[in-house]
Amino acid sequence: MIENIKEIKKDELLAEVKKFADAKARFVTAVCNDLGDKLEVTYFFNMSPGMEMHGLRMTVGKDEEVPSTTGIFLTTVLIENEMKEMFGLKVKDIAIDFGGHMLLAQDSPVTPMLKTGAAGGKGGE
Amino acid sequence: MAPRTVAPFGPQHPVLPEPIQLKITYEDEKVVDVVPAIGYGHRGIEKACELNEYPKNIYLCERICGICSCIHGISYCEVVERLWPIDVPPRAKYLRTIWSEMSRTHSHLLWLGLLADAFGFESMFMQFWRIREKVLDLLEMTTGQRVTQSISVVGGVRRDIDDEQKKKCIEVLREVRKESEALINVLANDYTVKARTVGKGVLTKEQAIALGCAGPHLRASGVKEDCRMQGLQAYGDLGFEPIVEKDGDCYARTLVRCRELLQAIDLQLEAFSKMPEGEIAVRPKGNPPANEAVYRAEQPRGEVFYYAKGNGTRNLERLRVRTPTYANIPSLLVMLPGCELPDVPVIVLSIDPCISCTER
Amino acid sequence: MGIINTSRIKSPWIMHFDNSSCNGCDIEVLACLTPLYDVERFGIVNMGNPKHADVLVVTGPVNRRTARVLKNLYAQIPDPKMVIAVGTCACSGGVFHNCYNILGGVDKVIPVDVYVPGCAAKPEAIIDGVVLALQKLSKALGVAK
Ligand code: SF4
């Protein structure tokens, strides 16, 4: 169980993130999960000063477009690019768009973090 | 307008032991734009962690980064323990704290050495690394390995520290403290060091929060935030107070790390004196249940964020790691434009970049 | 040629390149240069420029992006050159050998002369590796060591 997570709809995302920005919260990170036919994205914020954490969670279809939060928190640039290349989450208008090759090279597998992603064997054996 | 030049900084560059590339555009000597190009260290550990069984992931997580590997291993164990949840015996908590602080000591010594090297203070570099070897010897003595200790297991720790080792640790740590104090005195008051760091790469408090910085970088800008404030492990008993500086420049970041280095040694000495007797591990029952958990710990470079999701089998459904450098890289986009070209290495180094962490 | 070959063996210049290692082996390579191990007393100097180097020390497994950089650096080092793979993951891929972005050990991309296993390889082992590489080099050049 994670405390303080609020379920939101995709359209509310920017407004909700804006509230955190106005409250002078610090963006921690986002986590994307593959739920089979949908993707679940959770944004985590730290209420500065202090160590209290809040989350925003939304569930989107795999081919739905999601607005970018880089207009509010520039620092989300890395994580949005990462979710885009690892999970194929369709994020619109990222401030610096690496075009799906921030971490992955030209000949790497595409969207490797999806459960169906052909990702080689299991490392570490 | 002066002609603009674009120069690549990295991926193989003498000041950076690690591969990262910054495409720097500059006019005369002034930097006008920076684009980081990362991906030279991406391996795919998060996926490998889903495909492997949960006890084996400790070894993978430790190899996210070789400098803070001990805290990576501990954080992974803590987040998985939260899925059940399992309560770790008090002695194990103290041991984890001691090893965490020991790796912070060696990491800060390493960084101070690299910083001295970045502006050509070669003898200082050698001195810091000489002291660091003593800390590594302690780690080797107590855990069996210099770099990747693999000391933590789900439910506790793998080894105990006996009285003889404890005595030796205390003795060496006192020595290390004395020697580092002397060196820090030189580093913090040296005219050339100040000339290269004071007022360089300034980040205000508001900017630091808006950019989501972490660790010493954030605290150097006057924000009092440190994951050890949560009072987990033994930090609650040790009376921990975060170290904060106000100026937000490279010099402030250096000072924060210098003071944290001494504080880390004090915390270890205090933890040794308060450590309770007892068990060092409990055995987890069954597989991690279907549940989610997050855990945040303070690494030498800042806050590390672990997210785990179990599904009742021996494999985890998802593991996500957000490392401190991941949060600090965007601040380079703000700090570098406007600075002079020779200051670039110092500013880049001042966030203590750890690229293999960032890209996993 | 005599004096050049002799100095090549008596004072090899090394260049260190980090693929996508975990840093563990990198800092051990750096530790070799610092007072406790101090390889400089054997005339071994660390270089930043591939064109000045004789020995290439590689740490970490090759991933899909560093493969190109590594080939490029290898091509820039003048002959005769030696390549030392430091660490288990530079030798074979180690813990990462099956990860999706990893091609494997360094020998998948460039020829390797000496393998130094260990995760992380200890500084003593790294120094041994360099000595072994020099013996190989002197044999190849026909110079008595
Ligand atoms: S061999 Fe081990 S310590 Fe060395 S770079 Fe690879 S994973 Fe890290």
Side-chain angles (χ1 to χ4, degrees), chain C residues 20-36:
Chain C
S20 39
S21 84
C22 83
N23 266 344
C25 289
D26 297 321
I27 52 173
E28 294 294 63
V29 169
L30 277 180
C32 285
L33 302 168
T34 53
L36 193 67

Side-chain angles (χ1 to χ4, degrees), chain A residues 52-103:
Chain A
E52 196 186 314
M53 202 158 59
H54 286 263
L56 291 176
R57 173 166 283 177
M58 60 177 186
T59 315
V60 294
K62 282 195 174 158
D63 43 11
E64 271 180 67
E65 282 198 332
V66 180
S68 165
T69 53
T70 45
I72 306 170
F73 283 101
L74 175 66
T75 171
T76 53
V77 99
L78 293 179
I79 182 67
E80 285 188 351
N81 272 295
E82 187 178 326
M83 292 195 289
K84 192 169 171 180
E85 46 185 280
M86 297 294 166
F87 288 90
L89 181 73
K90 296 195 169 47
V91 190
K92 271 193 312 211
D93 309 324
I94 309 182
I96 305 173
D97 198 333
F98 288 85
H101 293 289
M102 184 178 84
L103 293 176

Side-chain angles (χ1 to χ4, degrees), chain B residues 11-12 14 17-19 37-45 47-48 59-60 62-67 106 110 114 122 125-127 129-130 132-133 136-137 140 145-148 354-356, chain C residues 15-28 30-37 40 47-50 61 63-66 68-69 73 95-96 99-102 119-120 122-124:
Chain B
Q12 193 269 329
E18 290 179 274
I38 56 176
Y40 293 93
H42 182 59
R43 287 151 285 176
I45 293 185
K47 184 76 183 181
Y59 311 112
L60 275 165
E62 290 226 307
R63 281 157 184 80
I64 288 175
C65 170
I67 304 178
H106 102 73
L110 177 144
L114 286 181
E122 187 100 0
F125 164 66
M126 293 290 178
Q127 291 294 342
W129 281 58
R130 182 180 57 77
R132 178 174 165 267
E133 288 293 333
L136 287 185
D137 284 347
E140 190 175 9
Q145 238 287 23
R146 280 163 58 91
V147 176
T148 37
C354 176
I355 307 306
S356 59
Chain C
M15 196 191 77
H16 166 224
F17 179 64
D18 169 4
N19 277 313
S20 39
S21 84
C22 83
N23 266 344
C25 289
D26 297 321
I27 52 173
E28 294 294 63
L30 277 180
C32 285
L33 302 168
T34 53
L36 193 67
Y37 298 99
E40 255 171 60
M47 276 293 120
N49 188 339
N63 81 1
R64 290 178 198 267
R65 193 169 279 184
T66 49
R68 181 181 55 84
V69 184
L73 283 175
V95 277
F96 311 121
C99 293
Y100 58 82
N101 211 29
I102 294 292
C119 183
K122 291 194 74 165
E124 290 93 339

Side-chain angles (χ1 to χ4, degrees), chain B residues 141-357:
Chain B
M141 176 182 80
T142 50
T143 68
Q145 238 287 23
R146 280 163 58 91
V147 176
T148 37
Q149 290 94 6
S150 300
I151 192 64
S152 180
V153 288
V154 176
V157 291
R158 195 166 51 77
R159 266 204 200 188
D160 204 350
I161 297 183
D162 62 27
D163 283 342
E164 202 179 314
Q165 287 176 335
K166 183 170 144 183
K167 233 172 78 203
K168 173 92 182 154
C169 285
I170 293 175
E171 188 191 311
V172 175
L173 285 171
R174 291 223 170 98
E175 227 172 87
V176 170
R177 193 175 197 287
K178 218 165 102 212
E179 289 182 22
S180 344
E181 251 177 356
L183 280 183
I184 286 171
N185 245 335
V186 178
L187 185 74
N189 299 321
D190 190 89
Y191 170 75
T192 5
V193 174
K194 279 192 178 162
R196 292 298 302 272
T197 52
V198 174
K200 308 280 187 212
V202 180
L203 202 66
T204 62
K205 189 171 174 176
E206 285 70 35
Q207 281 174 320
I209 292 180
L211 287 166
C213 299
H217 189 33
L218 181 66
R219 292 193 285 281
S221 294
V223 185
K224 192 172 164 186
E225 261 173 49
D226 188 313
C227 291
R228 288 172 285 178
M229 276 156 64
Q230 297 171 91
L232 299 168
Q233 294 176 11
Y235 292 113
D237 302 352
L238 297 181
F240 169 78
E241 261 302 305
I243 283 170
V244 183
E245 289 280 337
K246 287 193 297 297
D247 297 342
D249 57 1
C250 290
Y251 185 66
R253 280 167 227 144
T254 313
L255 282 188
V256 167
R257 290 193 178 96
C258 289
R259 289 171 54 198
E260 273 189 9
L261 165 66
L262 300 179
Q263 185 196 35
I265 298 177
D266 292 343
L267 283 174
Q268 285 167 66
L269 292 174
E270 198 183 338
F272 271 123
S273 70
K274 288 191 180 163
M275 188 158 63
E277 294 295 325
E279 288 285 296
I280 56 164
V282 291
R283 190 169 272 282
K285 281 198 205 69
N287 295 327
N291 197 356
E292 291 177 304
V294 289
Y295 178 76
R296 293 189 294 163
E298 188 74 14
Q299 278 192 336
R301 282 155 191 75
E303 155 189 347
V304 67
F305 170 100
Y306 267 74
Y307 166 91
K309 186 173 181 188
N311 56 6
T313 66
R314 270 182 89 70
N315 292 42
L316 292 179
E317 177 85 9
R318 173 98 168 94
L319 181 79
R320 157 119 184 107
V321 186
R322 200 260 3 216
T323 54
T325 310
Y326 203 96
N328 285 340
I329 283 186
S331 67
L332 286 180
L333 301 177
V334 175
M335 291 192 299
L336 285 178
C339 79
E340 304 272 315
L341 198 57
D343 291 331
V344 172
V346 179
I347 295 177
V348 172
L349 208 69
S350 77
I351 69 164
D352 201 354
C354 176
I355 307 306
S356 59
C357 265

